PDB file of all heavy atoms in Angstrom:
ATOM      1  N   ALA W 296    -103.583  -6.923  -5.605  1.00 87.00           N
ATOM      2  CA  ALA W 296    -103.595  -6.925  -4.147  1.00 87.00           C
ATOM      3  C   ALA W 296    -102.889  -8.171  -3.633  1.00 87.00           C
ATOM      4  O   ALA W 296    -103.292  -9.293  -3.937  1.00 87.00           O
ATOM      5  CB  ALA W 296    -105.022  -6.883  -3.634  1.00 87.00           C
ATOM      6  N   TYR W 297    -101.850  -7.945  -2.862  1.00 75.00           N
ATOM      7  CA  TYR W 297    -101.065  -9.047  -2.294  1.00 75.00           C
ATOM      8  C   TYR W 297    -100.646  -8.635  -0.898  1.00 75.00           C
ATOM      9  O   TYR W 297    -100.028  -7.596  -0.709  1.00 75.00           O
ATOM     10  CB  TYR W 297     -99.837  -9.312  -3.165  1.00 75.00           C
ATOM     11  CG  TYR W 297     -98.879 -10.306  -2.572  1.00 75.00           C
ATOM     12  CD1 TYR W 297     -99.149 -11.666  -2.642  1.00 75.00           C
ATOM     13  CD2 TYR W 297     -97.713  -9.899  -1.954  1.00 75.00           C
ATOM     14  CE1 TYR W 297     -98.273 -12.586  -2.112  1.00 75.00           C
ATOM     15  CE2 TYR W 297     -96.835 -10.814  -1.424  1.00 75.00           C
ATOM     16  CZ  TYR W 297     -97.116 -12.163  -1.503  1.00 75.00           C
ATOM     17  OH  TYR W 297     -96.249 -13.069  -0.970  1.00 75.00           O
ATOM     18  N   ASP W 298    -101.033  -9.428   0.081  1.00 67.00           N
ATOM     19  CA  ASP W 298    -100.685  -9.114   1.455  1.00 67.00           C
ATOM     20  C   ASP W 298    -100.387 -10.407   2.186  1.00 67.00           C
ATOM     21  O   ASP W 298    -101.293 -11.177   2.495  1.00 67.00           O
ATOM     22  CB  ASP W 298    -101.833  -8.355   2.137  1.00 67.00           C
ATOM     23  CG  ASP W 298    -101.481  -7.898   3.531  1.00 67.00           C
ATOM     24  OD1 ASP W 298    -100.406  -8.242   4.040  1.00 67.00           O
ATOM     25  OD2 ASP W 298    -102.305  -7.198   4.115  1.00 67.00           O
ATOM     26  N   LYS W 299     -99.115 -10.666   2.462  1.00 59.00           N
ATOM     27  CA  LYS W 299     -98.703 -11.914   3.089  1.00 59.00           C
ATOM     28  C   LYS W 299     -99.218 -12.058   4.518  1.00 59.00           C
ATOM     29  O   LYS W 299     -99.244 -13.143   5.064  1.00 59.00           O
ATOM     30  CB  LYS W 299     -97.184 -11.998   3.097  1.00 59.00           C
ATOM     31  CG  LYS W 299     -96.667 -13.239   2.473  1.00 59.00           C
ATOM     32  CD  LYS W 299     -95.161 -13.295   2.503  1.00 59.00           C
ATOM     33  CE  LYS W 299     -94.728 -14.597   1.887  1.00 59.00           C
ATOM     34  NZ  LYS W 299     -93.337 -14.745   1.698  1.00 59.00           N
ATOM     35  N   THR W 300     -99.623 -10.971   5.148  1.00 57.00           N
ATOM     36  CA  THR W 300    -100.056 -11.053   6.539  1.00 57.00           C
ATOM     37  C   THR W 300    -101.524 -11.421   6.674  1.00 57.00           C
ATOM     38  O   THR W 300    -101.979 -11.744   7.751  1.00 57.00           O
ATOM     39  CB  THR W 300     -99.823  -9.715   7.266  1.00 57.00           C
ATOM     40  OG1 THR W 300    -100.615  -8.711   6.639  1.00 57.00           O
ATOM     41  CG2 THR W 300     -98.370  -9.319   7.217  1.00 57.00           C
ATOM     42  N   ARG W 301    -102.279 -11.397   5.603  1.00 56.00           N
ATOM     43  CA  ARG W 301    -103.718 -11.690   5.676  1.00 56.00           C
ATOM     44  C   ARG W 301    -103.961 -13.138   5.303  1.00 56.00           C
ATOM     45  O   ARG W 301    -103.602 -13.576   4.223  1.00 56.00           O
ATOM     46  CB  ARG W 301    -104.484 -10.766   4.736  1.00 56.00           C
ATOM     47  CG  ARG W 301    -104.310  -9.325   5.189  1.00 56.00           C
ATOM     48  CD  ARG W 301    -105.247  -8.425   4.537  1.00 56.00           C
ATOM     49  NE  ARG W 301    -106.605  -8.881   4.808  1.00 56.00           N
ATOM     50  CZ  ARG W 301    -107.652  -8.389   4.201  1.00 56.00           C
ATOM     51  NH1 ARG W 301    -107.517  -7.446   3.317  1.00 56.00           N
ATOM     52  NH2 ARG W 301    -108.853  -8.842   4.466  1.00 56.00           N
ATOM     53  N   PHE W 302    -104.579 -13.874   6.192  1.00 58.00           N
ATOM     54  CA  PHE W 302    -104.760 -15.298   5.962  1.00 58.00           C
ATOM     55  C   PHE W 302    -105.956 -15.623   5.074  1.00 58.00           C
ATOM     56  O   PHE W 302    -106.134 -16.755   4.680  1.00 58.00           O
ATOM     57  CB  PHE W 302    -104.834 -16.047   7.289  1.00 58.00           C
ATOM     58  CG  PHE W 302    -103.501 -16.115   7.964  1.00 58.00           C
ATOM     59  CD1 PHE W 302    -103.219 -15.294   9.035  1.00 58.00           C
ATOM     60  CD2 PHE W 302    -102.515 -16.951   7.497  1.00 58.00           C
ATOM     61  CE1 PHE W 302    -101.980 -15.339   9.650  1.00 58.00           C
ATOM     62  CE2 PHE W 302    -101.270 -17.010   8.087  1.00 58.00           C
ATOM     63  CZ  PHE W 302    -101.002 -16.192   9.172  1.00 58.00           C
ATOM     64  N   ASN W 303    -106.789 -14.647   4.746  1.00 62.00           N
ATOM     65  CA  ASN W 303    -107.873 -14.945   3.813  1.00 62.00           C
ATOM     66  C   ASN W 303    -107.362 -15.042   2.378  1.00 62.00           C
ATOM     67  O   ASN W 303    -108.093 -15.399   1.487  1.00 62.00           O
ATOM     68  CB  ASN W 303    -109.003 -13.923   3.927  1.00 62.00           C
ATOM     69  CG  ASN W 303    -108.562 -12.521   3.579  1.00 62.00           C
ATOM     70  OD1 ASN W 303    -107.379 -12.245   3.472  1.00 62.00           O
ATOM     71  ND2 ASN W 303    -109.507 -11.629   3.418  1.00 62.00           N
ATOM     72  N   ASN W 304    -106.095 -14.736   2.154  1.00 66.00           N
ATOM     73  CA  ASN W 304    -105.460 -14.889   0.848  1.00 66.00           C
ATOM     74  C   ASN W 304    -104.600 -16.146   0.801  1.00 66.00           C
ATOM     75  O   ASN W 304    -103.790 -16.290  -0.089  1.00 66.00           O
ATOM     76  CB  ASN W 304    -104.524 -13.715   0.564  1.00 66.00           C
ATOM     77  CG  ASN W 304    -105.250 -12.455   0.213  1.00 66.00           C
ATOM     78  OD1 ASN W 304    -106.423 -12.339   0.441  1.00 66.00           O
ATOM     79  ND2 ASN W 304    -104.541 -11.516  -0.335  1.00 66.00           N
ATOM     80  N   ALA W 305    -104.754 -17.059   1.769  1.00 74.00           N
ATOM     81  CA  ALA W 305    -103.788 -18.135   1.904  1.00 74.00           C
ATOM     82  C   ALA W 305    -104.451 -19.501   2.037  1.00 74.00           C
ATOM     83  O   ALA W 305    -105.607 -19.620   2.420  1.00 74.00           O
ATOM     84  CB  ALA W 305    -102.909 -17.876   3.117  1.00 74.00           C
ATOM     85  N   ILE W 306    -103.663 -20.517   1.716  1.00 79.00           N
ATOM     86  CA  ILE W 306    -104.029 -21.910   1.949  1.00 79.00           C
ATOM     87  C   ILE W 306    -102.928 -22.519   2.798  1.00 79.00           C
ATOM     88  O   ILE W 306    -101.745 -22.406   2.462  1.00 79.00           O
ATOM     89  CB  ILE W 306    -104.160 -22.691   0.629  1.00 79.00           C
ATOM     90  CG1 ILE W 306    -105.368 -22.209  -0.161  1.00 79.00           C
ATOM     91  CG2 ILE W 306    -104.269 -24.181   0.888  1.00 79.00           C
ATOM     92  CD1 ILE W 306    -105.549 -22.915  -1.480  1.00 79.00           C
ATOM     93  N   SER W 307    -103.317 -23.158   3.874  1.00 82.00           N
ATOM     94  CA  SER W 307    -102.351 -23.814   4.743  1.00 82.00           C
ATOM     95  C   SER W 307    -101.896 -25.112   4.089  1.00 82.00           C
ATOM     96  O   SER W 307    -102.717 -25.968   3.761  1.00 82.00           O
ATOM     97  CB  SER W 307    -102.990 -24.104   6.101  1.00 82.00           C
ATOM     98  OG  SER W 307    -102.090 -24.834   6.891  1.00 82.00           O
ATOM     99  N   ILE W 308    -100.604 -25.231   3.894  1.00 81.00           N
ATOM    100  CA  ILE W 308    -100.047 -26.441   3.297  1.00 81.00           C
ATOM    101  C   ILE W 308     -99.675 -27.428   4.402  1.00 81.00           C
ATOM    102  O   ILE W 308     -99.924 -28.606   4.307  1.00 81.00           O
ATOM    103  CB  ILE W 308     -98.837 -26.099   2.410  1.00 81.00           C
ATOM    104  CG1 ILE W 308     -99.330 -25.259   1.233  1.00 81.00           C
ATOM    105  CG2 ILE W 308     -98.129 -27.352   1.939  1.00 81.00           C
ATOM    106  CD1 ILE W 308     -98.261 -24.691   0.370  1.00 81.00           C
ATOM    107  N   ASN W 309     -99.070 -26.918   5.447  1.00 79.00           N
ATOM    108  CA  ASN W 309     -98.814 -27.694   6.655  1.00 79.00           C
ATOM    109  C   ASN W 309     -98.697 -26.706   7.808  1.00 79.00           C
ATOM    110  O   ASN W 309     -98.944 -25.514   7.626  1.00 79.00           O
ATOM    111  CB  ASN W 309     -97.577 -28.592   6.508  1.00 79.00           C
ATOM    112  CG  ASN W 309     -96.307 -27.816   6.239  1.00 79.00           C
ATOM    113  OD1 ASN W 309     -96.046 -26.787   6.861  1.00 79.00           O
ATOM    114  ND2 ASN W 309     -95.496 -28.306   5.312  1.00 79.00           N
ATOM    115  N   SER W 310     -98.307 -27.161   8.980  1.00 77.00           N
ATOM    116  CA  SER W 310     -98.290 -26.260  10.133  1.00 77.00           C
ATOM    117  C   SER W 310     -97.213 -25.181  10.045  1.00 77.00           C
ATOM    118  O   SER W 310     -97.254 -24.211  10.791  1.00 77.00           O
ATOM    119  CB  SER W 310     -98.136 -27.059  11.427  1.00 77.00           C
ATOM    120  OG  SER W 310     -97.019 -27.903  11.356  1.00 77.00           O
ATOM    121  N   PHE W 311     -96.283 -25.322   9.117  1.00 80.00           N
ATOM    122  CA  PHE W 311     -95.213 -24.331   8.972  1.00 80.00           C
ATOM    123  C   PHE W 311     -95.276 -23.532   7.676  1.00 80.00           C
ATOM    124  O   PHE W 311     -94.604 -22.537   7.523  1.00 80.00           O
ATOM    125  CB  PHE W 311     -93.840 -25.011   9.044  1.00 80.00           C
ATOM    126  CG  PHE W 311     -93.628 -25.762  10.313  1.00 80.00           C
ATOM    127  CD1 PHE W 311     -93.688 -27.139  10.334  1.00 80.00           C
ATOM    128  CD2 PHE W 311     -93.373 -25.085  11.494  1.00 80.00           C
ATOM    129  CE1 PHE W 311     -93.496 -27.836  11.508  1.00 80.00           C
ATOM    130  CE2 PHE W 311     -93.181 -25.764  12.674  1.00 80.00           C
ATOM    131  CZ  PHE W 311     -93.245 -27.147  12.689  1.00 80.00           C
ATOM    132  N   LYS W 312     -96.068 -23.975   6.719  1.00 81.00           N
ATOM    133  CA  LYS W 312     -96.059 -23.374   5.378  1.00 81.00           C
ATOM    134  C   LYS W 312     -97.456 -22.925   4.969  1.00 81.00           C
ATOM    135  O   LYS W 312     -98.418 -23.660   5.112  1.00 81.00           O
ATOM    136  CB  LYS W 312     -95.545 -24.404   4.369  1.00 81.00           C
ATOM    137  CG  LYS W 312     -95.571 -23.968   2.936  1.00 81.00           C
ATOM    138  CD  LYS W 312     -94.325 -23.234   2.571  1.00 81.00           C
ATOM    139  CE  LYS W 312     -94.299 -22.991   1.069  1.00 81.00           C
ATOM    140  NZ  LYS W 312     -94.119 -21.640   0.719  1.00 81.00           N
ATOM    141  N   VAL W 313     -97.523 -21.702   4.463  1.00 82.00           N
ATOM    142  CA  VAL W 313     -98.767 -21.143   3.944  1.00 82.00           C
ATOM    143  C   VAL W 313     -98.505 -20.628   2.533  1.00 82.00           C
ATOM    144  O   VAL W 313     -97.525 -19.931   2.294  1.00 82.00           O
ATOM    145  CB  VAL W 313     -99.265 -19.990   4.846  1.00 82.00           C
ATOM    146  CG1 VAL W 313    -100.472 -19.321   4.238  1.00 82.00           C
ATOM    147  CG2 VAL W 313     -99.575 -20.494   6.239  1.00 82.00           C
ATOM    148  N   ALA W 314     -99.368 -20.997   1.599  1.00 85.00           N
ATOM    149  CA  ALA W 314     -99.275 -20.493   0.228  1.00 85.00           C
ATOM    150  C   ALA W 314    -100.176 -19.270   0.129  1.00 85.00           C
ATOM    151  O   ALA W 314    -101.344 -19.325   0.492  1.00 85.00           O
ATOM    152  CB  ALA W 314     -99.721 -21.560  -0.759  1.00 85.00           C
ATOM    153  N   THR W 315     -99.620 -18.162  -0.340  1.00 83.00           N
ATOM    154  CA  THR W 315    -100.403 -16.934  -0.454  1.00 83.00           C
ATOM    155  C   THR W 315    -100.744 -16.649  -1.913  1.00 83.00           C
ATOM    156  O   THR W 315     -99.997 -16.987  -2.819  1.00 83.00           O
ATOM    157  CB  THR W 315     -99.647 -15.731   0.141  1.00 83.00           C
ATOM    158  OG1 THR W 315     -98.380 -15.621  -0.493  1.00 83.00           O
ATOM    159  CG2 THR W 315     -99.459 -15.883   1.629  1.00 83.00           C
ATOM    160  N   SER W 316    -101.864 -16.012  -2.102  1.00 86.00           N
ATOM    161  CA  SER W 316    -102.336 -15.714  -3.446  1.00 86.00           C
ATOM    162  C   SER W 316    -102.249 -14.223  -3.732  1.00 86.00           C
ATOM    163  O   SER W 316    -102.126 -13.405  -2.827  1.00 86.00           O
ATOM    164  CB  SER W 316    -103.784 -16.181  -3.615  1.00 86.00           C
ATOM    165  OG  SER W 316    -104.624 -15.428  -2.775  1.00 86.00           O
ATOM    166  N   THR W 317    -102.330 -13.911  -5.003  1.00 88.00           N
ATOM    167  CA  THR W 317    -102.401 -12.537  -5.471  1.00 88.00           C
ATOM    168  C   THR W 317    -103.775 -12.350  -6.100  1.00 88.00           C
ATOM    169  O   THR W 317    -104.218 -13.185  -6.882  1.00 88.00           O
ATOM    170  CB  THR W 317    -101.310 -12.259  -6.515  1.00 88.00           C
ATOM    171  OG1 THR W 317    -100.044 -12.545  -5.938  1.00 88.00           O
ATOM    172  CG2 THR W 317    -101.347 -10.825  -6.987  1.00 88.00           C
ATOM    173  N   LYS W 318    -104.448 -11.266  -5.743  1.00 90.00           N
ATOM    174  CA  LYS W 318    -105.753 -10.966  -6.307  1.00 90.00           C
ATOM    175  C   LYS W 318    -105.647  -9.795  -7.267  1.00 90.00           C
ATOM    176  O   LYS W 318    -104.942  -8.829  -6.999  1.00 90.00           O
ATOM    177  CB  LYS W 318    -106.748 -10.620  -5.204  1.00 90.00           C
ATOM    178  CG  LYS W 318    -107.098 -11.788  -4.332  1.00 90.00           C
ATOM    179  CD  LYS W 318    -108.105 -11.400  -3.284  1.00 90.00           C
ATOM    180  CE  LYS W 318    -108.397 -12.603  -2.406  1.00 90.00           C
ATOM    181  NZ  LYS W 318    -109.279 -12.293  -1.308  1.00 90.00           N
ATOM    182  N   TYR W 319    -106.345  -9.909  -8.378  1.00 94.00           N
ATOM    183  CA  TYR W 319    -106.478  -8.823  -9.346  1.00 94.00           C
ATOM    184  C   TYR W 319    -107.934  -8.373  -9.264  1.00 94.00           C
ATOM    185  O   TYR W 319    -108.842  -9.168  -9.491  1.00 94.00           O
ATOM    186  CB  TYR W 319    -106.112  -9.300 -10.742  1.00 94.00           C
ATOM    187  CG  TYR W 319    -104.646  -9.645 -10.843  1.00 94.00           C
ATOM    188  CD1 TYR W 319    -104.166 -10.872 -10.413  1.00 94.00           C
ATOM    189  CD2 TYR W 319    -103.731  -8.730 -11.328  1.00 94.00           C
ATOM    190  CE1 TYR W 319    -102.817 -11.186 -10.473  1.00 94.00           C
ATOM    191  CE2 TYR W 319    -102.384  -9.028 -11.400  1.00 94.00           C
ATOM    192  CZ  TYR W 319    -101.934 -10.257 -10.971  1.00 94.00           C
ATOM    193  OH  TYR W 319    -100.599 -10.552 -11.023  1.00 94.00           O
ATOM    194  N   ILE W 320    -108.153  -7.116  -8.917  1.00 95.00           N
ATOM    195  CA  ILE W 320    -109.490  -6.614  -8.628  1.00 95.00           C
ATOM    196  C   ILE W 320    -109.842  -5.476  -9.577  1.00 95.00           C
ATOM    197  O   ILE W 320    -109.061  -4.535  -9.742  1.00 95.00           O
ATOM    198  CB  ILE W 320    -109.561  -6.102  -7.177  1.00 95.00           C
ATOM    199  CG1 ILE W 320    -109.130  -7.209  -6.215  1.00 95.00           C
ATOM    200  CG2 ILE W 320    -110.953  -5.581  -6.848  1.00 95.00           C
ATOM    201  CD1 ILE W 320    -108.814  -6.721  -4.824  1.00 95.00           C
ATOM    202  N   CYS W 321    -111.012  -5.561 -10.186  1.00 96.00           N
ATOM    203  CA  CYS W 321    -111.522  -4.471 -11.002  1.00 96.00           C
ATOM    204  C   CYS W 321    -112.190  -3.475 -10.064  1.00 96.00           C
ATOM    205  O   CYS W 321    -113.133  -3.823  -9.344  1.00 96.00           O
ATOM    206  CB  CYS W 321    -112.529  -4.977 -12.026  1.00 96.00           C
ATOM    207  SG  CYS W 321    -113.308  -3.625 -12.949  1.00 96.00           S
ATOM    208  N   CYS W 322    -111.727  -2.251 -10.069  1.00 97.00           N
ATOM    209  CA  CYS W 322    -112.260  -1.229  -9.174  1.00 97.00           C
ATOM    210  C   CYS W 322    -113.526  -0.578  -9.717  1.00 97.00           C
ATOM    211  O   CYS W 322    -114.116   0.267  -9.050  1.00 97.00           O
ATOM    212  CB  CYS W 322    -111.191  -0.180  -8.879  1.00 97.00           C
ATOM    213  SG  CYS W 322    -109.843  -0.868  -7.908  1.00 97.00           S
ATOM    214  N   ASP W 323    -113.976  -0.977 -10.914  1.00 97.00           N
ATOM    215  CA  ASP W 323    -115.249  -0.474 -11.431  1.00 97.00           C
ATOM    216  C   ASP W 323    -116.400  -1.432 -11.112  1.00 97.00           C
ATOM    217  O   ASP W 323    -117.403  -1.021 -10.550  1.00 97.00           O
ATOM    218  CB  ASP W 323    -115.173  -0.222 -12.941  1.00 97.00           C
ATOM    219  CG  ASP W 323    -114.521   1.110 -13.268  1.00 97.00           C
ATOM    220  OD1 ASP W 323    -114.633   2.048 -12.463  1.00 97.00           O
ATOM    221  OD2 ASP W 323    -113.903   1.209 -14.343  1.00 97.00           O
ATOM    222  N   CYS W 324    -116.253  -2.714 -11.432  1.00 97.00           N
ATOM    223  CA  CYS W 324    -117.372  -3.645 -11.221  1.00 97.00           C
ATOM    224  C   CYS W 324    -117.162  -4.603 -10.050  1.00 97.00           C
ATOM    225  O   CYS W 324    -118.093  -5.271  -9.629  1.00 97.00           O
ATOM    226  CB  CYS W 324    -117.664  -4.440 -12.491  1.00 97.00           C
ATOM    227  SG  CYS W 324    -116.457  -5.723 -12.870  1.00 97.00           S
ATOM    228  N   GLY W 325    -115.923  -4.711  -9.532  1.00 96.00           N
ATOM    229  CA  GLY W 325    -115.657  -5.572  -8.385  1.00 96.00           C
ATOM    230  C   GLY W 325    -115.265  -6.993  -8.729  1.00 96.00           C
ATOM    231  O   GLY W 325    -115.052  -7.816  -7.839  1.00 96.00           O
ATOM    232  N   TYR W 326    -115.148  -7.304 -10.003  1.00 97.00           N
ATOM    233  CA  TYR W 326    -114.729  -8.639 -10.418  1.00 97.00           C
ATOM    234  C   TYR W 326    -113.335  -8.929  -9.880  1.00 97.00           C
ATOM    235  O   TYR W 326    -112.469  -8.053  -9.862  1.00 97.00           O
ATOM    236  CB  TYR W 326    -114.757  -8.731 -11.945  1.00 97.00           C
ATOM    237  CG  TYR W 326    -114.312 -10.059 -12.493  1.00 97.00           C
ATOM    238  CD1 TYR W 326    -115.147 -11.166 -12.449  1.00 97.00           C
ATOM    239  CD2 TYR W 326    -113.055 -10.203 -13.069  1.00 97.00           C
ATOM    240  CE1 TYR W 326    -114.747 -12.390 -12.956  1.00 97.00           C
ATOM    241  CE2 TYR W 326    -112.646 -11.415 -13.586  1.00 97.00           C
ATOM    242  CZ  TYR W 326    -113.492 -12.510 -13.516  1.00 97.00           C
ATOM    243  OH  TYR W 326    -113.082 -13.714 -14.020  1.00 97.00           O
ATOM    244  N   ILE W 327    -113.103 -10.190  -9.427  1.00 95.00           N
ATOM    245  CA  ILE W 327    -111.814 -10.574  -8.846  1.00 95.00           C
ATOM    246  C   ILE W 327    -111.308 -11.840  -9.515  1.00 95.00           C
ATOM    247  O   ILE W 327    -112.059 -12.792  -9.723  1.00 95.00           O
ATOM    248  CB  ILE W 327    -111.941 -10.848  -7.334  1.00 95.00           C
ATOM    249  CG1 ILE W 327    -112.362  -9.603  -6.583  1.00 95.00           C
ATOM    250  CG2 ILE W 327    -110.633 -11.392  -6.766  1.00 95.00           C
ATOM    251  CD1 ILE W 327    -112.657  -9.849  -5.118  1.00 95.00           C
ATOM    252  N   GLU W 328    -110.013 -11.860  -9.818  1.00 94.00           N
ATOM    253  CA  GLU W 328    -109.317 -13.085 -10.201  1.00 94.00           C
ATOM    254  C   GLU W 328    -108.226 -13.301  -9.165  1.00 94.00           C
ATOM    255  O   GLU W 328    -107.589 -12.344  -8.725  1.00 94.00           O
ATOM    256  CB  GLU W 328    -108.695 -12.967 -11.592  1.00 94.00           C
ATOM    257  CG  GLU W 328    -109.713 -12.966 -12.698  1.00 94.00           C
ATOM    258  CD  GLU W 328    -109.084 -12.920 -14.088  1.00 94.00           C
ATOM    259  OE1 GLU W 328    -107.845 -12.891 -14.213  1.00 94.00           O
ATOM    260  OE2 GLU W 328    -109.854 -12.896 -15.056  1.00 94.00           O
ATOM    261  N   GLU W 329    -108.006 -14.559  -8.786  1.00 91.00           N
ATOM    262  CA  GLU W 329    -107.031 -14.872  -7.750  1.00 91.00           C
ATOM    263  C   GLU W 329    -106.072 -15.942  -8.265  1.00 91.00           C
ATOM    264  O   GLU W 329    -106.508 -16.936  -8.863  1.00 91.00           O
ATOM    265  CB  GLU W 329    -107.765 -15.373  -6.507  1.00 91.00           C
ATOM    266  CG  GLU W 329    -106.894 -15.613  -5.318  1.00 91.00           C
ATOM    267  CD  GLU W 329    -107.710 -15.933  -4.074  1.00 91.00           C
ATOM    268  OE1 GLU W 329    -108.907 -16.267  -4.194  1.00 91.00           O
ATOM    269  OE2 GLU W 329    -107.148 -15.841  -2.986  1.00 91.00           O
ATOM    270  N   TYR W 330    -104.769 -15.741  -8.046  1.00 92.00           N
ATOM    271  CA  TYR W 330    -103.750 -16.646  -8.541  1.00 92.00           C
ATOM    272  C   TYR W 330    -102.734 -16.964  -7.447  1.00 92.00           C
ATOM    273  O   TYR W 330    -102.384 -16.103  -6.650  1.00 92.00           O
ATOM    274  CB  TYR W 330    -102.981 -16.026  -9.720  1.00 92.00           C
ATOM    275  CG  TYR W 330    -103.837 -15.778 -10.925  1.00 92.00           C
ATOM    276  CD1 TYR W 330    -104.476 -14.559 -11.095  1.00 92.00           C
ATOM    277  CD2 TYR W 330    -104.027 -16.759 -11.887  1.00 92.00           C
ATOM    278  CE1 TYR W 330    -105.284 -14.327 -12.191  1.00 92.00           C
ATOM    279  CE2 TYR W 330    -104.828 -16.532 -12.994  1.00 92.00           C
ATOM    280  CZ  TYR W 330    -105.452 -15.311 -13.139  1.00 92.00           C
ATOM    281  OH  TYR W 330    -106.252 -15.077 -14.223  1.00 92.00           O
ATOM    282  N   PHE W 331    -102.255 -18.198  -7.458  1.00 90.00           N
ATOM    283  CA  PHE W 331    -101.106 -18.584  -6.661  1.00 90.00           C
ATOM    284  C   PHE W 331     -99.928 -18.553  -7.626  1.00 90.00           C
ATOM    285  O   PHE W 331     -99.764 -19.435  -8.459  1.00 90.00           O
ATOM    286  CB  PHE W 331    -101.306 -19.967  -6.035  1.00 90.00           C
ATOM    287  CG  PHE W 331    -102.310 -19.938  -4.918  1.00 90.00           C
ATOM    288  CD1 PHE W 331    -103.651 -20.102  -5.172  1.00 90.00           C
ATOM    289  CD2 PHE W 331    -101.905 -19.708  -3.624  1.00 90.00           C
ATOM    290  CE1 PHE W 331    -104.580 -20.038  -4.148  1.00 90.00           C
ATOM    291  CE2 PHE W 331    -102.819 -19.649  -2.584  1.00 90.00           C
ATOM    292  CZ  PHE W 331    -104.165 -19.819  -2.850  1.00 90.00           C
ATOM    293  N   ASP W 332     -99.132 -17.503  -7.538  1.00 88.00           N
ATOM    294  CA  ASP W 332     -98.075 -17.252  -8.511  1.00 88.00           C
ATOM    295  C   ASP W 332     -96.853 -18.153  -8.343  1.00 88.00           C
ATOM    296  O   ASP W 332     -96.169 -18.449  -9.312  1.00 88.00           O
ATOM    297  CB  ASP W 332     -97.630 -15.788  -8.441  1.00 88.00           C
ATOM    298  CG  ASP W 332     -98.743 -14.835  -8.846  1.00 88.00           C
ATOM    299  OD1 ASP W 332     -99.474 -15.153  -9.804  1.00 88.00           O
ATOM    300  OD2 ASP W 332     -98.875 -13.787  -8.209  1.00 88.00           O
TER     301      ASP W 332
END
């Protein structure tokens, strides 16, 4: 799951730059891993 428009996947670096993450989600148990690629 990767969505650049959602800010809950992001860290603000400064007022102009946001780092977005990619989430890997298990659809059976709900376990999540999140990476800044």
